[in-house]
Amino acid sequence: MCLSTYNTDYQLLLSVLKTARKRMGVSQVDLAERLGNTQTFVSKCERGERRIDAVELVEFAEALGVPSIELLSEYLEQRSRQGRLPRVRKTKRSR
């Protein structure tokens, strides 16, 4: 699994997040204020200079007034349209 912010899947997630922000008519400055952070923080997150974890993704969604499951569903739908299948990890069986 690649943890790079330049990973195709991660870039897609950022695109979904940025599109949602714009669709809601929220500027980076407004979003930063709602998050209690700076515009620079939001900008770095959207550009992939700073990685967003799952908790922060939920916080971004809440600050935008969008259900986090909606953002994740949009990401998964777009990922599926690109022909990207979910990764299945093999686990060792206990004996």
Side-chain angles (χ1 to χ4, degrees):
M1 174 156 80
C2 181
L3 297 177
S4 168
T5 58
Y6 300 104
N7 173 284
T8 304
D9 287 337
Y10 190 71
Q11 288 297 310
L12 177 60
L13 179 65
L14 295 181
S15 174
V16 167
L17 183 61
K18 185 175 181 177
T19 299
R21 177 181 62 75
K22 289 181 175 185
R23 183 176 59 241
M24 298 304 292
V26 177
S27 70
Q28 285 185 347
V29 172
D30 292 336
L31 179 56
E33 288 175 3
R34 294 176 188 188
L35 291 169
N37 217 311
T38 64
Q39 180 273 330
T40 302
F41 169 80
V42 172
S43 176
K44 285 182 177 185
C45 290
E46 286 187 357
R47 289 194 321 262
E49 291 181 20
R50 187 195 179 283
R51 193 164 182 87
I52 301 171
D53 66 24
V55 172
E56 290 170 326
L57 181 62
V58 170
E59 291 172 348
F60 270 69
E62 289 173 345
L64 291 171
V66 175
S68 52
I69 193 71
E70 189 177 301
L71 279 181
L72 187 56
S73 293
E74 177 64 23
Y75 161 73
L76 292 172
E77 184 177 315
Q78 287 189 30
R79 187 173 184 261
S80 175
R81 273 192 246 136
Q82 292 179 358
R84 311 260 314 156
L85 300 174
R87 292 187 185 133
V88 178
R89 296 185 100 179
K90 294 181 181 179
T91 59
K92 293 181 182 179
R93 291 187 184 191
S94 305
R95 292 189 183 217

mmCIF file with all atom_site columns, all heavy atoms in Angstrom, residues 10-24:
data_model
loop_
_atom_site.group_PDB
_atom_site.id
_atom_site.type_symbol
_atom_site.label_atom_id
_atom_site.label_alt_id
_atom_site.label_comp_id
_atom_site.label_asym_id
_atom_site.label_entity_id
_atom_site.label_seq_id
_atom_site.pdbx_PDB_ins_code
_atom_site.Cartn_x
_atom_site.Cartn_y
_atom_site.Cartn_z
_atom_site.occupancy
_atom_site.B_iso_or_equiv
_atom_site.pdbx_formal_charge
_atom_site.auth_seq_id
_atom_site.auth_comp_id
_atom_site.auth_asym_id
_atom_site.auth_atom_id
_atom_site.pdbx_PDB_model_num
ATOM 1   N N   . TYR A 1 10 ? -5.494  8.738  -3.487 1.00 0.00 ? 10 TYR A N   1
ATOM 2   C CA  . TYR A 1 10 ? -5.509  9.849  -2.549 1.00 0.00 ? 10 TYR A CA  1
ATOM 3   C C   . TYR A 1 10 ? -5.820  11.163 -3.260 1.00 0.00 ? 10 TYR A C   1
ATOM 4   O O   . TYR A 1 10 ? -6.590  11.990 -2.760 1.00 0.00 ? 10 TYR A O   1
ATOM 5   C CB  . TYR A 1 10 ? -4.179  9.950  -1.786 1.00 0.00 ? 10 TYR A CB  1
ATOM 6   C CG  . TYR A 1 10 ? -4.265  10.937 -0.655 1.00 0.00 ? 10 TYR A CG  1
ATOM 7   C CD1 . TYR A 1 10 ? -5.009  10.650 0.485  1.00 0.00 ? 10 TYR A CD1 1
ATOM 8   C CD2 . TYR A 1 10 ? -3.646  12.172 -0.735 1.00 0.00 ? 10 TYR A CD2 1
ATOM 9   C CE1 . TYR A 1 10 ? -5.126  11.568 1.518  1.00 0.00 ? 10 TYR A CE1 1
ATOM 10  C CE2 . TYR A 1 10 ? -3.747  13.092 0.286  1.00 0.00 ? 10 TYR A CE2 1
ATOM 11  C CZ  . TYR A 1 10 ? -4.491  12.790 1.410  1.00 0.00 ? 10 TYR A CZ  1
ATOM 12  O OH  . TYR A 1 10 ? -4.610  13.707 2.425  1.00 0.00 ? 10 TYR A OH  1
ATOM 13  N N   . GLN A 1 11 ? -5.262  11.354 -4.439 1.00 0.00 ? 11 GLN A N   1
ATOM 14  C CA  . GLN A 1 11 ? -5.554  12.558 -5.218 1.00 0.00 ? 11 GLN A CA  1
ATOM 15  C C   . GLN A 1 11 ? -7.039  12.628 -5.571 1.00 0.00 ? 11 GLN A C   1
ATOM 16  O O   . GLN A 1 11 ? -7.632  13.707 -5.574 1.00 0.00 ? 11 GLN A O   1
ATOM 17  C CB  . GLN A 1 11 ? -4.688  12.604 -6.480 1.00 0.00 ? 11 GLN A CB  1
ATOM 18  C CG  . GLN A 1 11 ? -3.230  12.914 -6.207 1.00 0.00 ? 11 GLN A CG  1
ATOM 19  C CD  . GLN A 1 11 ? -3.040  14.290 -5.589 1.00 0.00 ? 11 GLN A CD  1
ATOM 20  O OE1 . GLN A 1 11 ? -3.559  15.283 -6.085 1.00 0.00 ? 11 GLN A OE1 1
ATOM 21  N NE2 . GLN A 1 11 ? -2.301  14.357 -4.494 1.00 0.00 ? 11 GLN A NE2 1
ATOM 22  N N   . LEU A 1 12 ? -7.642  11.483 -5.855 1.00 0.00 ? 12 LEU A N   1
ATOM 23  C CA  . LEU A 1 12 ? -9.075  11.440 -6.138 1.00 0.00 ? 12 LEU A CA  1
ATOM 24  C C   . LEU A 1 12 ? -9.875  11.862 -4.911 1.00 0.00 ? 12 LEU A C   1
ATOM 25  O O   . LEU A 1 12 ? -10.821 12.647 -5.011 1.00 0.00 ? 12 LEU A O   1
ATOM 26  C CB  . LEU A 1 12 ? -9.489  10.033 -6.592 1.00 0.00 ? 12 LEU A CB  1
ATOM 27  C CG  . LEU A 1 12 ? -10.975 9.833  -6.858 1.00 0.00 ? 12 LEU A CG  1
ATOM 28  C CD1 . LEU A 1 12 ? -11.473 10.769 -7.962 1.00 0.00 ? 12 LEU A CD1 1
ATOM 29  C CD2 . LEU A 1 12 ? -11.238 8.371  -7.224 1.00 0.00 ? 12 LEU A CD2 1
ATOM 30  N N   . LEU A 1 13 ? -9.489  11.384 -3.747 1.00 0.00 ? 13 LEU A N   1
ATOM 31  C CA  . LEU A 1 13 ? -10.165 11.776 -2.504 1.00 0.00 ? 13 LEU A CA  1
ATOM 32  C C   . LEU A 1 13 ? -10.082 13.288 -2.297 1.00 0.00 ? 13 LEU A C   1
ATOM 33  O O   . LEU A 1 13 ? -11.077 13.934 -1.953 1.00 0.00 ? 13 LEU A O   1
ATOM 34  C CB  . LEU A 1 13 ? -9.559  11.039 -1.316 1.00 0.00 ? 13 LEU A CB  1
ATOM 35  C CG  . LEU A 1 13 ? -10.157 11.381 0.045  1.00 0.00 ? 13 LEU A CG  1
ATOM 36  C CD1 . LEU A 1 13 ? -11.616 10.946 0.125  1.00 0.00 ? 13 LEU A CD1 1
ATOM 37  C CD2 . LEU A 1 13 ? -9.336  10.750 1.158  1.00 0.00 ? 13 LEU A CD2 1
ATOM 38  N N   . LEU A 1 14 ? -8.907  13.852 -2.537 1.00 0.00 ? 14 LEU A N   1
ATOM 39  C CA  . LEU A 1 14 ? -8.749  15.305 -2.390 1.00 0.00 ? 14 LEU A CA  1
ATOM 40  C C   . LEU A 1 14 ? -9.617  16.064 -3.384 1.00 0.00 ? 14 LEU A C   1
ATOM 41  O O   . LEU A 1 14 ? -10.190 17.101 -3.050 1.00 0.00 ? 14 LEU A O   1
ATOM 42  C CB  . LEU A 1 14 ? -7.279  15.700 -2.568 1.00 0.00 ? 14 LEU A CB  1
ATOM 43  C CG  . LEU A 1 14 ? -6.308  15.186 -1.518 1.00 0.00 ? 14 LEU A CG  1
ATOM 44  C CD1 . LEU A 1 14 ? -4.903  15.685 -1.822 1.00 0.00 ? 14 LEU A CD1 1
ATOM 45  C CD2 . LEU A 1 14 ? -6.734  15.583 -0.116 1.00 0.00 ? 14 LEU A CD2 1
ATOM 46  N N   . SER A 1 15 ? -9.733  15.532 -4.582 1.00 0.00 ? 15 SER A N   1
ATOM 47  C CA  . SER A 1 15 ? -10.579 16.152 -5.599 1.00 0.00 ? 15 SER A CA  1
ATOM 48  C C   . SER A 1 15 ? -12.041 16.159 -5.157 1.00 0.00 ? 15 SER A C   1
ATOM 49  O O   . SER A 1 15 ? -12.749 17.161 -5.306 1.00 0.00 ? 15 SER A O   1
ATOM 50  C CB  . SER A 1 15 ? -10.421 15.408 -6.923 1.00 0.00 ? 15 SER A CB  1
ATOM 51  O OG  . SER A 1 15 ? -11.330 15.904 -7.875 1.00 0.00 ? 15 SER A OG  1
ATOM 52  N N   . VAL A 1 16 ? -12.488 15.052 -4.595 1.00 0.00 ? 16 VAL A N   1
ATOM 53  C CA  . VAL A 1 16 ? -13.868 14.958 -4.097 1.00 0.00 ? 16 VAL A CA  1
ATOM 54  C C   . VAL A 1 16 ? -14.090 15.966 -2.974 1.00 0.00 ? 16 VAL A C   1
ATOM 55  O O   . VAL A 1 16 ? -15.108 16.660 -2.938 1.00 0.00 ? 16 VAL A O   1
ATOM 56  C CB  . VAL A 1 16 ? -14.187 13.514 -3.621 1.00 0.00 ? 16 VAL A CB  1
ATOM 57  C CG1 . VAL A 1 16 ? -15.482 13.453 -2.827 1.00 0.00 ? 16 VAL A CG1 1
ATOM 58  C CG2 . VAL A 1 16 ? -14.230 12.569 -4.818 1.00 0.00 ? 16 VAL A CG2 1
ATOM 59  N N   . LEU A 1 17 ? -13.128 16.080 -2.082 1.00 0.00 ? 17 LEU A N   1
ATOM 60  C CA  . LEU A 1 17 ? -13.233 17.021 -0.967 1.00 0.00 ? 17 LEU A CA  1
ATOM 61  C C   . LEU A 1 17 ? -13.277 18.468 -1.463 1.00 0.00 ? 17 LEU A C   1
ATOM 62  O O   . LEU A 1 17 ? -14.133 19.258 -1.045 1.00 0.00 ? 17 LEU A O   1
ATOM 63  C CB  . LEU A 1 17 ? -12.051 16.822 -0.014 1.00 0.00 ? 17 LEU A CB  1
ATOM 64  C CG  . LEU A 1 17 ? -12.033 17.669 1.246  1.00 0.00 ? 17 LEU A CG  1
ATOM 65  C CD1 . LEU A 1 17 ? -13.261 17.386 2.104  1.00 0.00 ? 17 LEU A CD1 1
ATOM 66  C CD2 . LEU A 1 17 ? -10.762 17.399 2.030  1.00 0.00 ? 17 LEU A CD2 1
ATOM 67  N N   . LYS A 1 18 ? -12.396 18.807 -2.388 1.00 0.00 ? 18 LYS A N   1
ATOM 68  C CA  . LYS A 1 18 ? -12.348 20.176 -2.917 1.00 0.00 ? 18 LYS A CA  1
ATOM 69  C C   . LYS A 1 18 ? -13.625 20.502 -3.695 1.00 0.00 ? 18 LYS A C   1
ATOM 70  O O   . LYS A 1 18 ? -14.178 21.597 -3.569 1.00 0.00 ? 18 LYS A O   1
ATOM 71  C CB  . LYS A 1 18 ? -11.133 20.332 -3.820 1.00 0.00 ? 18 LYS A CB  1
ATOM 72  C CG  . LYS A 1 18 ? -10.906 21.730 -4.322 1.00 0.00 ? 18 LYS A CG  1
ATOM 73  C CD  . LYS A 1 18 ? -9.610  21.804 -5.115 1.00 0.00 ? 18 LYS A CD  1
ATOM 74  C CE  . LYS A 1 18 ? -9.326  23.196 -5.609 1.00 0.00 ? 18 LYS A CE  1
ATOM 75  N NZ  . LYS A 1 18 ? -8.041  23.270 -6.323 1.00 0.00 ? 18 LYS A NZ  1
ATOM 76  N N   . THR A 1 19 ? -14.107 19.546 -4.473 1.00 0.00 ? 19 THR A N   1
ATOM 77  C CA  . THR A 1 19 ? -15.345 19.747 -5.234 1.00 0.00 ? 19 THR A CA  1
ATOM 78  C C   . THR A 1 19 ? -16.519 19.977 -4.290 1.00 0.00 ? 19 THR A C   1
ATOM 79  O O   . THR A 1 19 ? -17.358 20.849 -4.531 1.00 0.00 ? 19 THR A O   1
ATOM 80  C CB  . THR A 1 19 ? -15.608 18.540 -6.152 1.00 0.00 ? 19 THR A CB  1
ATOM 81  O OG1 . THR A 1 19 ? -14.522 18.432 -7.076 1.00 0.00 ? 19 THR A OG1 1
ATOM 82  C CG2 . THR A 1 19 ? -16.907 18.691 -6.913 1.00 0.00 ? 19 THR A CG2 1
ATOM 83  N N   . ALA A 1 20 ? -16.570 19.218 -3.204 1.00 0.00 ? 20 ALA A N   1
ATOM 84  C CA  . ALA A 1 20 ? -17.649 19.391 -2.223 1.00 0.00 ? 20 ALA A CA  1
ATOM 85  C C   . ALA A 1 20 ? -17.587 20.777 -1.597 1.00 0.00 ? 20 ALA A C   1
ATOM 86  O O   . ALA A 1 20 ? -18.610 21.438 -1.416 1.00 0.00 ? 20 ALA A O   1
ATOM 87  C CB  . ALA A 1 20 ? -17.548 18.321 -1.144 1.00 0.00 ? 20 ALA A CB  1
ATOM 88  N N   . ARG A 1 21 ? -16.368 21.229 -1.281 1.00 0.00 ? 21 ARG A N   1
ATOM 89  C CA  . ARG A 1 21 ? -16.223 22.576 -0.694 1.00 0.00 ? 21 ARG A CA  1
ATOM 90  C C   . ARG A 1 21 ? -16.750 23.638 -1.644 1.00 0.00 ? 21 ARG A C   1
ATOM 91  O O   . ARG A 1 21 ? -17.532 24.515 -1.256 1.00 0.00 ? 21 ARG A O   1
ATOM 92  C CB  . ARG A 1 21 ? -14.742 22.847 -0.363 1.00 0.00 ? 21 ARG A CB  1
ATOM 93  C CG  . ARG A 1 21 ? -14.516 24.267 0.176  1.00 0.00 ? 21 ARG A CG  1
ATOM 94  C CD  . ARG A 1 21 ? -13.065 24.541 0.487  1.00 0.00 ? 21 ARG A CD  1
ATOM 95  N NE  . ARG A 1 21 ? -12.170 24.476 -0.654 1.00 0.00 ? 21 ARG A NE  1
ATOM 96  C CZ  . ARG A 1 21 ? -12.064 25.410 -1.605 1.00 0.00 ? 21 ARG A CZ  1
ATOM 97  N NH1 . ARG A 1 21 ? -12.841 26.489 -1.578 1.00 0.00 ? 21 ARG A NH1 1
ATOM 98  N NH2 . ARG A 1 21 ? -11.194 25.271 -2.588 1.00 0.00 ? 21 ARG A NH2 1
ATOM 99  N N   . LYS A 1 22 ? -16.368 23.527 -2.905 1.00 0.00 ? 22 LYS A N   1
ATOM 100 C CA  . LYS A 1 22 ? -16.809 24.515 -3.890 1.00 0.00 ? 22 LYS A CA  1
ATOM 101 C C   . LYS A 1 22 ? -18.319 24.432 -4.132 1.00 0.00 ? 22 LYS A C   1
ATOM 102 O O   . LYS A 1 22 ? -18.985 25.453 -4.277 1.00 0.00 ? 22 LYS A O   1
ATOM 103 C CB  . LYS A 1 22 ? -16.043 24.335 -5.197 1.00 0.00 ? 22 LYS A CB  1
ATOM 104 C CG  . LYS A 1 22 ? -14.595 24.761 -5.078 1.00 0.00 ? 22 LYS A CG  1
ATOM 105 C CD  . LYS A 1 22 ? -13.858 24.612 -6.382 1.00 0.00 ? 22 LYS A CD  1
ATOM 106 C CE  . LYS A 1 22 ? -12.456 25.163 -6.285 1.00 0.00 ? 22 LYS A CE  1
ATOM 107 N NZ  . LYS A 1 22 ? -11.761 25.127 -7.578 1.00 0.00 ? 22 LYS A NZ  1
ATOM 108 N N   . ARG A 1 23 ? -18.840 23.203 -4.182 1.00 0.00 ? 23 ARG A N   1
ATOM 109 C CA  . ARG A 1 23 ? -20.284 23.006 -4.392 1.00 0.00 ? 23 ARG A CA  1
ATOM 110 C C   . ARG A 1 23 ? -21.097 23.649 -3.266 1.00 0.00 ? 23 ARG A C   1
ATOM 111 O O   . ARG A 1 23 ? -22.172 24.182 -3.494 1.00 0.00 ? 23 ARG A O   1
ATOM 112 C CB  . ARG A 1 23 ? -20.589 21.506 -4.483 1.00 0.00 ? 23 ARG A CB  1
ATOM 113 C CG  . ARG A 1 23 ? -22.043 21.189 -4.769 1.00 0.00 ? 23 ARG A CG  1
ATOM 114 C CD  . ARG A 1 23 ? -22.314 19.697 -4.964 1.00 0.00 ? 23 ARG A CD  1
ATOM 115 N NE  . ARG A 1 23 ? -21.929 18.922 -3.794 1.00 0.00 ? 23 ARG A NE  1
ATOM 116 C CZ  . ARG A 1 23 ? -21.000 17.957 -3.781 1.00 0.00 ? 23 ARG A CZ  1
ATOM 117 N NH1 . ARG A 1 23 ? -20.353 17.642 -4.882 1.00 0.00 ? 23 ARG A NH1 1
ATOM 118 N NH2 . ARG A 1 23 ? -20.718 17.312 -2.681 1.00 0.00 ? 23 ARG A NH2 1
ATOM 119 N N   . MET A 1 24 ? -20.545 23.624 -2.061 1.00 0.00 ? 24 MET A N   1
ATOM 120 C CA  . MET A 1 24 ? -21.229 24.215 -0.913 1.00 0.00 ? 24 MET A CA  1
ATOM 121 C C   . MET A 1 24 ? -21.014 25.732 -0.836 1.00 0.00 ? 24 MET A C   1
ATOM 122 O O   . MET A 1 24 ? -21.564 26.393 0.040  1.00 0.00 ? 24 MET A O   1
ATOM 123 C CB  . MET A 1 24 ? -20.754 23.552 0.386  1.00 0.00 ? 24 MET A CB  1
ATOM 124 C CG  . MET A 1 24 ? -21.052 22.058 0.454  1.00 0.00 ? 24 MET A CG  1
ATOM 125 S SD  . MET A 1 24 ? -22.787 21.628 0.229  1.00 0.00 ? 24 MET A SD  1
ATOM 126 C CE  . MET A 1 24 ? -23.490 22.297 1.710  1.00 0.00 ? 24 MET A CE  1
#
